[in-house]
Amino acid sequence: MEKRTTIEEIAFVKKDGKKIQGRLYRPEETGRRHPIVIFCHGFGSNFRELMHHGDGFAEAGICCLFFDFCGGGPESLSDGTMEEMTVGTECEDLNTVIDCVKGLDYVDSERIFLQGESMGGLVSALVAARRPEDVRALVLWYPAFVVPDDAGKRYEAGVKEVFGLPMGEAFDREAKDIDVYGIIPAYGGPVLMIHGDQDDVVPIGYSERALSVYRDARLTVMPGAGHGYDGADSVAAREYSIDFIRAWM
């Protein structure tokens, strides 16, 4: 019998009153609590770019929550503007989502997984390091551990946009000082990184370096893939992620 998926719009409110808008895909089974993966989008993007993965997770018995970071992109459905957004504000957003998700009656709060792409991967890694007891395992697609290096270069040059998108001065001022490889080892749970060997936005060397600081990490290399996955690469990355999460459910 084919498994069915329940899809619902969902919203959370931060302490500062800003609303975070998202969409949840979950198995259409009642009377039990499910594991959940919280999927974080990359810089300048939004959850609609990722939600085609939702059915795959739900059919595997995993709730999958997508949401827009406040000011996370020009088409964000959440409150806030890109000029207000920093890595720190996105960490606040994810912490809010985790706190709210733990109270959902169909979610097993002991089986919360974080998954992020690009800057969403950086944010997921930073949040997992600060609250490791709440994160069962971590999945990072081409995580943007390059952000502090890039931010430092822009800050020195006085550049205030990324990929043609406007940034507030606070973004690079904060990001340039993030000690990624000093922070992320505080998360001792299992980590899967998936990275293309032709990524010219976040070179794969940043994930390779993370292997040397995480206690329990593996790196799956996507031959020929760049930054962002399409077609067969997208399907493969999802299946790698689901298999990894199911192993830790």
Side-chain angles (χ1 to χ4, degrees):
M1 182 177 177
E2 182 180 353
K3 292 186 178 180
R4 298 177 62 84
T5 301
T6 296
I7 304 172
E8 60 184 83
E9 305 302 314
I10 193 164
F12 312 99
V13 180
K14 294 178 63 176
K15 291 179 181 179
D16 63 5
K18 285 189 173 69
K19 184 181 72 174
I20 300 170
Q21 188 67 43
R23 184 169 297 165
L24 181 74
Y25 291 69
R26 61 186 173 96
E28 198 174 73
E29 300 175 48
T30 58
R32 58 172 295 193
R33 293 179 181 268
H34 300 281
I36 187 167
V37 58
I38 301 172
F39 207 148
C40 301
H41 69 77
F43 175 87
S45 188
N46 59 77
F47 75 73
R48 274 83 66 212
E49 299 295 327
L50 293 170
M51 65 185 186
H52 58 281
H53 294 298
D55 283 325
F57 282 92
E59 289 167 7
I62 306 163
C63 294
C64 189
L65 173 65
F66 305 94
F67 71 96
D68 282 349
F69 285 109
C70 290
E75 297 180 20
S76 175
L77 299 182
S78 297
D79 292 341
T81 66
M82 289 199 71
E83 288 85 353
E84 299 170 310
M85 180 271 291
T86 66
V87 174
T89 66
E90 292 204 346
C91 287
E92 291 172 4
D93 294 350
L94 181 53
N95 277 311
T96 296
V97 172
I98 294 171
D99 290 340
C100 293
V101 158
K102 290 173 73 174
L104 297 175
D105 59 10
Y106 48 82
V107 167
D108 182 348
S109 63
E110 299 297 316
R111 294 187 292 168
I112 295 175
F113 299 83
L114 298 186
Q115 179 163 344
E117 60 145 7
S118 195
M119 199 168 91
L122 169 63
V123 170
S124 296
L126 295 175
V127 169
R130 288 163 182 153
R131 52 190 305 175
E133 69 284 353
D134 289 322
V135 181
R136 186 71 164 259
L138 188 58
V139 180
L140 308 174
W141 290 8
Y142 39 92
F145 296 151
V146 70
V147 164
D149 290 345
D150 286 349
K153 294 173 185 174
R154 286 192 301 269
Y155 192 75
E156 288 185 10
V159 176
K160 293 189 171 72
E161 63 177 34
V162 182
F163 306 134
L165 297 173
M167 300 300 303
E169 184 181 349
F171 184 94
D172 285 336
R173 187 175 64 245
E174 173 199 281
K176 67 183 177 62
D177 294 326
I178 297 174
D179 180 11
V180 172
Y181 298 103
I183 295 171
I184 64 174
Y187 181 71
V191 181
L192 172 65
M193 292 177 286
I194 305 176
H195 212 128
D197 63 5
Q198 300 300 309
D199 192 330
D200 59 1
V201 176
V202 182
I204 194 171
Y206 284 89
S207 286
E208 292 170 338
R209 183 179 175 188
L211 280 177
S212 68
V213 301
Y214 273 128
R215 277 175 276 175
D216 182 8
R218 67 195 71 176
L219 172 61
T220 296
V221 179
M222 302 284 280
H227 197 71
Y229 302 137
D230 296 309
D233 287 339
S234 179
V235 174
R238 180 176 68 243
E239 293 308 308
Y240 289 140
S241 303
I242 289 172
D243 288 347
F244 176 76
I245 289 170
R246 293 186 76 172
W248 292 100
M249 279 166 50

